[in-house]
Amino acid sequence: MRIDIVTIFPEFFSVLDVSLLGKARQSGLIDLEVHNLRDFTHDRHRTVDDTPYGGGAGMVMKPEPWGEALDSILGASTSSATEAPLLDETASPDETASPDETPLPELVEGADATPTVIFPSPAGEVFTQKLAREFAEHSHLVFACGRYEGIDQRVVDYAATRASVRLVSLGDYVLNGGEVASMAMIEAIGRLIPGMVGNPESLVEESHEDGLLEYPSYTKPAEWRGYEVPPVLLSGNHAAIAAWRREQQVERTRRIRPDLLP
Ligand code: JAH
């Protein structure tokens, strides 16, 4: 997977050199490049912001550096999104033919090289494990990290003519910019890329993959500072352990996240 990040704080992303993501990059599984938006300015102050048309508080990110950054990442204009929809090349000629009653050829997601530009934004759709799974199938993701009051809307409109565009929020709170949100998404997506986690079974069991919160975990020693490990976990009765864990999951979910229950 190819990941590009555009930001005025490229140094934020040095954390991606370590841990699981760092290994995935070293192994070539993830090809990640961080771009400094200021490298796409031409004035001596490397200006990326200006006052908002119509007035109001704060500053807005200027479109010109964003346009040049996106062009350098996506390749200067040979449009895909504005022109004919991409055909599923795996479909037989019979399936792609569109006589009266037959639906038009589908846009293929992940199977093609159409890049997806993600704008982290409190105004976006909420990032969930489902969205992480979807993005993990894409071959090229571009994270466009805004700052200040946001990016000139025309950048989003232009990006949509060159790529799939998604506005994505981590939840109902405001950060100072898209960088931390991008990192959270990259970590959630990166660990789902096939070949990432040592044990694939550890992926399906984790929180939210089955719509319930995780059960509590214990390790040695069996007694610590007077606290004991629930005896069922030492019983060797695997059916009883599985039942206890499920009950803990349901009880926790009912108490903390009842919105997740049917
Ligand atoms: C804030 C650009 N919900 C997470 C999130 C994502 C992005 C931003 N804030 C919160 C943000 C300022 C400028 C993006």
Side-chain angles (χ1 to χ4, degrees), residues 61 119-123 144-151 168-182 185:
M61 292 189 111
F119 291 88
S121 164
C145 304
R147 281 267 149 180
Y148 315 111
E149 303 314 304
I151 306 171
V168 184
S169 168
L170 287 192
D172 293 336
Y173 48 86
V174 181
L175 301 168
N176 283 325
E179 284 79 4
V180 167
S182 291
M185 288 188 261

Side-chain angles (χ1 to χ4, degrees), residues 14-196:
S14 48
V15 293
L16 299 178
D17 294 341
V18 297
S19 194
L20 212 66
L21 268 304
K23 276 177 210 137
R25 290 175 70 186
Q26 280 171 349
S27 77
L29 209 57
I30 295 177
D31 175 17
L32 186 144
E33 202 172 310
V34 183
H35 309 265
N36 189 342
L37 183 68
R38 292 194 198 275
D39 291 347
F40 301 93
T41 60
H42 300 286
D43 65 310
R44 59 174 7 300
H45 295 110
R46 315 229 293 165
T47 312
V48 294
D49 63 332
D50 205 339
T51 54
Y53 274 123
M59 299 291 268
V60 175
M61 292 189 111
K62 294 166 64 59
E64 302 96 320
W66 278 106
E68 292 199 24
L70 292 173
D71 284 346
S72 90
I73 291 166
L74 301 172
S77 209
T78 41
S79 178
S80 52
T82 46
E83 286 161 25
L86 297 160
L87 294 177
D88 182 351
E89 296 186 55
T90 62
S92 73
D94 224 10
E95 288 168 320
T96 48
S98 302
D100 278 4
E101 300 273 340
T102 323
L104 288 166
E106 295 168 18
L107 280 162
V108 180
E109 205 150 58
D112 70 284
T114 307
T116 298
V117 180
I118 297 169
F119 291 88
S121 164
E125 60 182 310
V126 176
F127 187 70
T128 58
Q129 193 65 25
K130 179 168 176 274
L131 205 49
R133 265 185 250 117
E134 181 190 326
F135 288 153
E137 306 277 313
H138 291 210
S139 57
H140 189 188
L141 300 175
V142 181
F143 288 87
C145 304
R147 281 267 149 180
Y148 315 111
E149 303 314 304
I151 306 171
D152 188 301
Q153 179 60 34
R154 292 168 294 180
V155 174
V156 180
D157 301 341
Y158 172 69
T161 72
R162 309 293 320 281
S164 281
V165 164
R166 307 287 283 266
L167 269 64
V168 184
S169 168
L170 287 192
D172 293 336
Y173 48 86
V174 181
L175 301 168
N176 283 325
E179 284 79 4
V180 167
S182 291
M183 264 184 283
M185 288 188 261
I186 289 165
E187 184 160 313
I189 295 161
R191 61 187 289 284
L192 297 177
I193 296 170
M196 276 289 291

